[in-house]
Amino acid sequence: MNRLFLSLIILLASFTHALSQSYNQEKTALTNFLVRMYENAPFDGVKAVEDYDNAYLMSVVKLDKEKYKSDSALNRVAQVKAMSQASRFFNGSNITEDMIIRTTEKADGTSDTEIIENIREHSVGYVKQLEHLTNFQAKDGQQVFIFITPLNSNK
């Protein structure tokens, strides 16, 4: 009876260990793929990416590490920016633009022209389910954060 019980425990432990390795290996492979993709063509914002079985929304945030007093502040700003980018992707945004052209005449008969352009973006929504996949230092010294969330796949 003890041998059967011990064998059952060992079997369950090895099965659980095998599943956790598979998950970590898949996550590591996805992380390496996305980092290589970023390094090949750097960008800031969101992009939909696909692997063999899943589709993901990838949100990339670049921040200057020197502007933040602590790592926790840097991580929080990256997380909030990533959620904002994902919200704009899923929920859309309303962009308005105003252009003001101001011309002033000088005493000598010439004129100066000043162009003021105001662009405003308004987005409503919240995306909470982003997972922090990795962060690393880019070639330009800035810190790059990659967040992902699965997209609904209709395969």
Side-chain angles (χ1 to χ4, degrees):
M1 179 73 177
N2 284 341
R3 285 186 178 179
L4 178 64
F5 182 69
L6 184 60
S7 299
L8 184 61
I9 297 269
I10 291 172
L11 181 65
L12 287 175
S14 65
F15 180 70
T16 305
H17 182 67
L19 283 179
S20 65
Q21 281 182 336
S22 173
Y23 175 76
N24 288 337
Q25 288 172 351
E26 289 173 11
K27 194 64 79 172
T28 301
L30 177 63
T31 301
N32 291 338
F33 169 71
L34 295 178
V35 168
R36 281 192 315 269
M37 185 176 82
Y38 174 83
E39 288 174 343
N40 187 35
F43 70 95
D44 196 10
V46 295
K47 185 181 277 193
V49 294
E50 256 185 290
D51 66 3
Y52 295 109
D53 300 323
N54 301 307
Y56 300 97
L57 177 76
M58 177 173 86
S59 181
V60 176
V61 177
K62 277 181 73 171
L63 297 174
D64 185 5
K65 197 173 183 175
E66 301 299 320
K67 292 183 180 180
Y68 301 95
K69 294 179 183 178
S70 66
D71 285 342
S72 63
L74 178 72
N75 291 331
R76 181 65 182 148
V77 169
Q79 183 181 25
V80 169
K81 281 190 168 196
M83 287 188 294
S84 172
Q85 291 173 348
S87 174
R88 275 185 255 135
F89 178 82
F90 286 121
N91 303 317
S93 64
N94 183 16
I95 300 172
T96 59
E97 179 181 6
D98 300 327
M99 184 179 291
I100 300 169
I101 301 173
R102 183 179 306 165
T103 306
T104 55
E105 247 184 75
K106 293 182 179 179
D108 63 355
T110 61
S111 62
D112 282 337
T113 303
E114 179 184 13
I115 299 174
I116 302 170
E117 189 173 13
N118 295 318
I119 300 172
R120 292 179 192 88
E121 180 178 19
H122 180 73
S123 178
V124 177
Y126 189 69
V127 175
K128 179 80 173 154
Q129 68 264 18
L130 287 176
E131 176 185 354
H132 177 224
L133 192 61
T134 188
N135 60 296
F136 57 93
Q137 190 166 354
K139 292 175 184 173
D140 63 359
Q142 290 191 325
Q143 197 72 16
V144 177
F145 293 83
I146 297 179
F147 294 84
I148 62 165
T149 188
L151 293 173
N152 291 338
S153 180
N154 296 331
K155 289 185 177 181

